[in-house]
Structure formats: C-alpha cells, structure tokens
C-alpha cells in the first residue's frame, strides 16, 4: 500500500437459503445499497468514527435479504456482475483499490449452483487482483469451503448465537483489514472443515458446550502471532457438499495458527454429541399442554420448522391450524378462554381482504378469509380465519399491511409480506400486549434477546417446515460423506488444518 489513507471498497450479498423450502428469494426479497448509503449503513463508519476517517471507503453494491429459499440464478448473477463491473470501472477511473470488505452470510444457495459465495469471492478477487487484501465477514451459520477461504486474505464470523455481535464482527473485519494494509500484508490462514452439521438451536452460545467452545475461539484470537480466529457451525438446511462446520485461524506464526486451528476443530468434534437444544424441545401437543398448565406468563413457544430468519417460507400453517382447533383458545378471555398470539402469517391477498373489511367497518369488523400456505403447502394447506379484525396498519417497511384477527382467544398477526417478530415493539405498535398474554407463538428458533428477556418460560416446538429441526427427516443426500449425525464414521476424522 502506497496511499497513507487507503482506498477500500465494500461489496457483498447476504442471505441464508433453505433448499428444503419451495420459496424463491427473488429481487423483491433484497434490499440493495450502493455508494454513500452503503457506507453509512455500517455504524462504525459513521461520520467522525475512527475507522471512517482511517480510509477512503466506497460503497460498491450490497444486496441483503431476510433468509428464505434459494436465489434464482439470474438474480445472483446480476448482483455479482454489477459488483465486478463497478469495481472495474471505478479502478479504471481512480486507480486500484488497496482493499475490499466482502460482507456475506455464507449460506446462500443459488439455483443450479453450489458454493455461490465462493464464486462471488473468486469474481471479486479476479477484478481487484491477487495483491490486494480482501477481508470477508460472515455469519457463524455459514459454510467455508476451501475456495472461499483461499480467495479471502482475512475471514471471520460471529462468535455469538443469537448474533448480538454481528456489527462488532463486521467492525473487526474492517479493523483487521486496515491494520494489515498499514503493515504486514496478507497473513497465513489455517483452515479445516469439521464433519459435523447441527442446527443453530443446538449450538447456541447461551449454553454449553458452545459457550465454552466459543470462549476458546476468543482466547485463540488473542494469542501472540494470531490475528483472528473463527469457528463456523455451518448451515443445516441446505443440501450442499460444503455444508459443515469449519475453523480458520489467521496470523503470522504458522506453528501457532495450525496448532490452535486443530485444537478448536478437535474440541468441536469431541463435543458433537453434547450439543443440545437451547430450551426444552418437544412436539406441538406436549409444548402447548405444558404452556397451558404452567403459571409462567407470558409463555413463549417457537414454531421452529417455519422460522423465516433461518430460511423458512414463513407461511406454513401446520401449527396455526392446530391452534385454531385448540379448545383452550376457542372462547374469548371474557368467557373464560386462554389468550394467545400467533406471529405471524404472510398472505398478501388475505391481508388486503382484511384491510378492506377494516376500512369499511372499523375495529370489530367480521371477516372470514382463507390464508397461508401460498408458498409452502407441504405440511398443511391454507387455514380459515373466521373472527373479528382488531387492528390494521399499512406501510410497515418489512411486512407492508399488518392486520390482527381475533378468533376466540387467539390473535393472529396477518401480514402482506414475511416479517420476523423479534422485538416487543413489533407487538405493541399493533395494539398487542405480549406480556399480558398467556401463550405467545413466534416463528423463530432460539428466542432473540428481547423475547428471551420477556418470556417467563419457553419451549422449542419441533414442527415441520423448510427449516425442520429434525434434520434426518429432511432428506439430505448431497452432504460430504461422512458428516455427523447423518452418516456413520469408520474412524476418527482427519482434523489437521491446511495452511493457505
């Protein structure tokens, strides 16, 4: 680097994609940011922030989506090609970049293609050149095939699940990039894949053994001769050969990074049978019975098989159909019934129908509408909501139209588009009081921090859908053999890292 204030580009594409969901994540799923809008999206690059002033940052293009189904090839290729073309044009006009921050998830599936992020990284590498530094920041539920690790000079991922350190991780990737641009250049990388593939709900850092394993990742990162250490769980709901855990330790002391990468890989492998669900987990009937019998209020239940933040279609009705038939919620609370909230069910046509009824008759408008299972009707078909409308709002940036339909003691949140319900304000802004409700059912896996703090108690419901927690019934058939828990092992795996 010859420029004391380096020129750094930002680019990427971020989504995790379930190959077991019929949903397709087209253009409507992605938020595109370019130029200053992209740079300012990163809190640590706000005006006046130390990192902002330490380099000349240029936003190229970043496409970000809520998790969902596979990405159509033409969408991915258009994003990739624009990134490449923009980088080429900018370098032709202003000279080569010194470095690039590549912001990806690691679990993007593109229709007809394996390891899409490796293809993206290779395309970026080809245009910036072999002598420029690429720092890749990822989700810990991503996959790291050799090609992706090789194309990245620095590569890291979150160390917390739930991902409370998401922005901290991106900042670390940016800070490491600038540090190596100032001195040191490209470090060495010790890379090894671990033949284990588990869902995030079994590898949460809230509990053991992941809590200790990830504490050790931080310890390794602080060792002399080490720049960074990262451990990826992998993405369990895609059926690709690279789906498995991985370790990368980055630094200048080859002996240390190889030794510590193998130690982390061995620690994860040795704990493979100790990983357990982050909360008591059971089928629907047991979960609902336990919630109703408990005195803990509110009692949260995760409808985990259709979690849209893991790649579920979001409109699976299997659980809602059973809640609508549940005797405990048949009567209104003033008639002695229990109360429940179901968050949520996306169906554009049904949401518009309910909104029209509300506009005509106001709160309490009667509705009888069929909803759900427009995308994923495998587990169950559409359900009929026959009740009254308590709330309608329009213009939610994620959900569009949001309606609350009460059926007996059950309040169903019906949305125009998919939206995860992770914050207390997601409920209160539409007139719902989750703290004063008996049972709150959310389409999620482990509870996000605000819900976790709000819940007096909770369980993980093992329900069907594109992100079914019972991995063995999903039908993976393209994983590298052997991978735990899908295959038997005739001997211990070779966990010696490769030095890249």
């Amino acid at each position: 680097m010859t420029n004391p204030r380096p020129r750094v580009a930002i680019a990427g594409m971020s989504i995790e994609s379930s190959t077991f969901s019929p949903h397709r994540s087209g253009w409507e799923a992605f938020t595109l940011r370019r130029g200053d809008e992209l740079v300012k999206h990163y809190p640590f690059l706000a005006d006046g922030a130390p990192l902002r002033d330490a380099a000349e940052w240029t936003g190229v293009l970043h496409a970000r989506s809520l998790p969902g189904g596979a990405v159509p090839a033409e969408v991915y290729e258009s994003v990739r090609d624009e990134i490449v073309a923009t980088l080429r044009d900018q370098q032709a006009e202003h000279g080569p970049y010194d470095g690039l921050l590549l912001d990806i998830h690691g679990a993007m599936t593109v229709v007809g293609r394996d390891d899409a992020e490796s293809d993206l990284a290779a395309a970026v590498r080809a245009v910036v050149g072999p002598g420029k530094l690429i720092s890749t920041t990822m989700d810990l539920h991503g996959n790291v095939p050799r090609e992706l690790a090789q194309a990245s000079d620095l590569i890291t991922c979150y160390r917390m699940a739930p991902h409370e350190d998401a922005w901290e991780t991106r900042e670390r990737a940016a800070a490491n990039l600038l540090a190596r641009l100032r001195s040191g250049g490209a470090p060495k990388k010790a890379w090894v894949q671990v033949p284990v593939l588990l869902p995030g709900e079994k590898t949460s850092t809230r509990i053991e053994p992941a809590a200790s394993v990830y504490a050790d990742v931080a310890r390794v990162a602080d060792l002399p001769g080490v720049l960074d250490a990262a451990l990826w769980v992998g993405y369990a709901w895609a059926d690709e050969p690279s789906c498995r855990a991985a370790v990368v330790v980055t630094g200048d002391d080859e002996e240390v990074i190889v030794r510590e990468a193998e130690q982390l890989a061995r620690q994860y492998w040795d704990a493979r049978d100790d990983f357990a669900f982050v909360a008591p987990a059971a089928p629907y009937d047991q979960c609902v019975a336990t919630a109703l019998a408990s005195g803990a209020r509110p009692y949260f239940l995760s409808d985990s098989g259709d979690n849209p933040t893991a790649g579920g279609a979001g409109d699976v009705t299997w659980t809602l159909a059973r809640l609508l038939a549940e005797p405990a919620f048949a009567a209104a609370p003033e008639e002695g019934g229990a109360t429940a909230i179901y968050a949520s069910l996306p169906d554009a046509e049904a949401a518009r129908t309910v909104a029209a009824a509300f506009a005509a008759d106001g709160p309490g408008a009667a509705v009888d509408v069929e909803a759900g299972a427009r995308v994923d009707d495998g587990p169950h078909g559409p359900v009929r909501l026959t009740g009254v409308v308590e709330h309608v709002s329009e213009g939610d940036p994620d959900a569009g139209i949001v309606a609350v339909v009460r059926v007996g003691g059950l309040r169903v949140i019906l949305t125009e588009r998919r939206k995860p319900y992770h914050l207390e304000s997601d409920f209160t802004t539409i007139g719902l009081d989750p703290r004063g409700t008996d049972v709150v059912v959310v389409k999620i896996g482990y509870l996000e921090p605000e819900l976790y703090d709000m819940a007096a108690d909770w369980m993980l419901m093992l329900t069907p859908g594109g992100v079914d927690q019972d991995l063995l019934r999903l039908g993976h058939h393209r994983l590298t053999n052997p991978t735990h828990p899908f295959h038997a092992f005739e001997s211990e795996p070779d966990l010696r890292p490769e030095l890249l």
Side-chain angles (χ1 to χ4, degrees):
M1 185 190 73
T2 58
N3 185 352
R5 191 164 180 261
R7 295 180 61 241
V8 181
I10 305 172
M13 188 171 187
S14 181
I15 183 176
E16 58 182 352
S17 313
S18 170
T19 62
F20 300 101
S21 169
H23 181 258
R24 289 292 178 265
S25 298
W27 284 114
E28 75 289 342
F30 286 90
T31 298
L32 305 180
R33 295 184 176 91
R34 302 173 176 88
D36 288 343
E37 180 189 12
L38 174 55
V39 174
K40 292 177 180 178
H41 178 65
Y42 295 84
F44 54 86
L45 295 181
D47 290 340
L51 284 182
R52 177 63 182 269
D53 295 336
E56 297 176 16
W57 298 91
T58 300
V60 177
L61 169 63
H62 192 271
R64 184 178 303 279
S65 171
L66 186 72
V71 179
E74 60 271 19
V75 173
Y76 163 68
E77 290 165 5
S78 179
V79 171
R80 178 199 62 194
D81 294 349
E82 181 180 335
I83 289 172
V84 168
T86 303
L87 283 169
R88 183 180 294 116
D89 292 346
Q90 289 174 344
Q91 292 188 132
E93 183 175 357
H94 302 291
Y97 280 104
D98 297 299
L100 184 140
L101 180 65
L102 185 62
D103 188 348
I104 61 176
H105 183 285
M108 174 170 62
T109 293
V110 173
V111 176
R113 182 189 295 273
D114 285 340
D115 297 336
E117 281 99 346
S118 295
D119 179 75
L120 177 61
V124 168
R125 169 60 71 195
V127 72
V128 301
K132 306 303 177 181
L133 295 188
I134 296 177
S135 182
T136 301
T137 177
M138 298 175 64
D139 191 298
L140 65 79
H141 296 125
N143 308 304
V144 189
R146 186 185 188 280
E147 294 77 10
L148 177 57
Q150 183 72 64
S152 307
D153 297 294
L154 305 101
I155 187 166
T156 193
C157 72
Y158 310 156
R159 296 173 185 167
M160 297 179 70
H163 306 319
E164 297 173 64
D165 64 333
W167 288 111
E168 176 186 332
T169 299
R170 295 184 180 100
E171 183 174 3
R172 183 172 71 246
N176 285 346
L177 173 61
L178 294 188
R180 298 304 292 206
L181 285 173
R182 286 191 295 268
S183 63
K188 302 291 186 182
K189 301 182 295 290
W191 165 85
V192 59
Q193 289 183 308
V194 186
V196 176
L197 185 61
L198 297 170
E201 284 66 34
K202 280 191 172 180
T203 51
S204 172
T205 56
R206 281 179 177 151
I207 61 171
E208 297 294 349
S212 292
V213 171
Y214 275 89
D216 209 38
V217 172
R219 176 195 65 80
V220 172
D222 288 338
L223 291 174
V226 175
L227 178 64
D228 193 84
L231 167 61
W232 289 260
V233 170
Y235 183 61
W237 295 291
D239 192 16
E240 295 189 22
S242 64
C243 293
R244 49 180 39 202
V247 173
V248 178
V249 178
T250 306
D252 297 308
D253 190 322
E254 294 182 7
E255 180 181 351
V256 171
I257 65 173
V258 169
R259 181 192 70 217
E260 296 298 330
E262 183 171 359
Q263 184 272 330
L264 287 173
R266 174 61 59 186
Q267 188 175 357
Y268 194 82
W269 167 258
D270 289 345
R272 65 193 181 280
D273 291 322
D274 298 329
F275 290 102
F277 285 120
V278 67
Y284 169 91
D285 288 338
Q286 183 177 338
C287 286
V288 172
T290 301
L292 290 171
S294 172
R297 294 292 182 264
Y299 202 109
F300 273 72
L301 297 176
S302 289
D303 185 5
S304 64
D306 192 36
N307 173 12
T309 58
D315 76 337
V316 171
T317 59
W318 189 92
T319 297
L320 179 55
R322 282 153 181 77
L323 290 169
L324 289 166
E326 197 66 48
F329 305 125
E334 59 269 21
E335 298 170 356
T339 59
I341 294 172
Y342 185 79
S344 60
L345 184 67
D347 185 319
E349 182 179 346
R352 294 176 192 133
T353 299
V354 171
F358 186 84
D361 299 327
V367 291
D368 185 359
V369 63
E370 197 173 68
R374 308 299 185 191
V375 176
D376 191 349
D377 63 355
H380 192 279
V383 296
R384 184 162 293 281
L385 300 177
T386 305
V388 298
V389 188
E390 293 189 334
H391 171 92
V392 170
S393 58
E394 300 187 27
D396 183 289
D398 298 311
I401 297 170
V402 180
V404 177
V405 178
R406 181 173 64 80
V407 183
L410 174 64
R411 288 175 169 86
V412 179
I413 302 175
L414 183 66
T415 62
E416 187 177 13
R417 299 187 297 270
R418 293 189 310 153
K419 174 180 177 171
Y421 280 73
H422 290 173
L423 306 174
E424 185 169 4
S425 61
D426 291 333
F427 298 90
T428 57
T429 55
I430 56 174
L432 296 177
D433 176 19
R435 293 182 185 271
T437 301
D438 295 324
V439 181
V440 180
V441 181
V442 284
K443 287 191 172 182
I444 200 171
Y446 47 62
L447 296 184
E448 291 296 318
E450 280 198 26
L451 304 187
Y452 183 77
D453 291 341
M454 193 192 318
D457 204 349
W458 75 288
M459 290 185 73
L460 187 76
M461 280 199 296
L462 303 179
T463 54
V467 290
D468 195 328
Q469 295 289 329
D470 187 345
L471 300 184
L472 299 184
R473 71 181 178 186
L474 280 172
H476 293 77
H477 65 280
R478 300 185 63 240
L479 299 178
T480 299
N481 190 346
T483 296
H484 175 83
F486 300 87
H487 312 115
F489 283 75
E490 295 182 359
S491 61
E492 287 287 296
D494 183 359
L495 297 177
R496 289 175 296 179
E498 181 178 354
L499 195 62
L500 302 178

